[in-house]
Amino acid sequence: IPGQTCHNAVLNKLFYLDLSRQTLTPGLILDYDAKAAFDRVISSIANLACQRLGLPRIAGMFMLNLLHDMSFNVITAFGRSALHFSNCDDPNSVGQGVLQGSSSACPIYIFSSDVCLSTYKKHSIVAKFIHPISGNIISDSTVQFVDDTSQFTNSLGCDITDYGHDIRSNTDTLFSKAKSNITNWNDLIWLSGGKLNPEKCYFYSFHPTYDHNRHRLS
């Protein structure tokens, strides 16, 4: 979306938590971090993803061949290195990665990520809230800034309308749906060349309640 910044992603999380607290809606946040994301971009898939959003085919093929065939040397005060390296050095992952530092690297990664995000939004269990005036359902699924992704789901998104009636069963349902989202995202993220970094992936669950004795939310 043009004009968005990292602050919008943070505000999205704040609004999600504020709405959950105000509506007493249990939910989860899933936070993911991708490992060496730019170095794992699959050039051929990135080429198709860029053409999907309007990049001329000739420009896409130029970038694909550039990433596939370019070789690199290390230059120091002693001169250029005798050996070189390229994206094709590893026959098991030919032509992976984008040119870090290049102005085209970020758009290529974003265009590839758009395929993952669009597919996830279509097949995931999202968070839902009821608009207090119109009664319309408002949904929120995920926000992403570069390789950091946050995904949301809640009880209403899982079609649980009375969470307190059977808390144990409804909690199991909520976590089961969240696990399904995790599996879907883990399967999808390879499209953008990403691989999850388990040490930096977390989930947060919450169940806001109203304390009648103190007349406040907890």
Side-chain angles (χ1 to χ4, degrees), residues 48-59:
L48 296 176
C50 291
Q51 291 186 49
R52 168 177 171 264
L53 294 176
L55 182 74
R57 186 176 186 277
I58 187 172

Side-chain angles (χ1 to χ4, degrees), residues 51-124:
Q51 291 186 49
R52 168 177 171 264
L53 294 176
L55 182 74
R57 186 176 186 277
I58 187 172
M61 294 305 297
F62 171 81
M63 182 59 68
L64 175 63
N65 291 325
L66 182 70
L67 295 173
H68 188 276
D69 298 326
M70 180 178 286
S71 61
F72 304 87
N73 294 79
V74 176
I75 299 178
T76 68
F78 300 100
R80 189 176 69 174
S81 62
L83 301 178
H84 70 275
F85 64 94
S86 72
N87 280 340
C88 298
D89 287 341
D90 184 358
N92 294 320
S93 58
V94 177
Q96 286 197 198
V98 291
L99 302 175
Q100 297 213 32
S102 167
S103 59
S104 63
C106 287
I108 288 175
Y109 182 76
I110 291 172
F111 292 172
S112 300
S113 297
D114 181 68
V115 178
C116 303
L117 292 169
S118 299
T119 306
Y120 176 83
K121 184 177 180 180
K122 184 176 180 179
H123 296 283
S124 64

Side-chain angles (χ1 to χ4, degrees), residues 120-132:
Y120 176 83
K121 184 177 180 180
K122 184 176 180 179
H123 296 283
S124 64
I125 306 299
V126 303
K128 294 181 179 180
F129 299 95
I130 300 175
H131 194 286

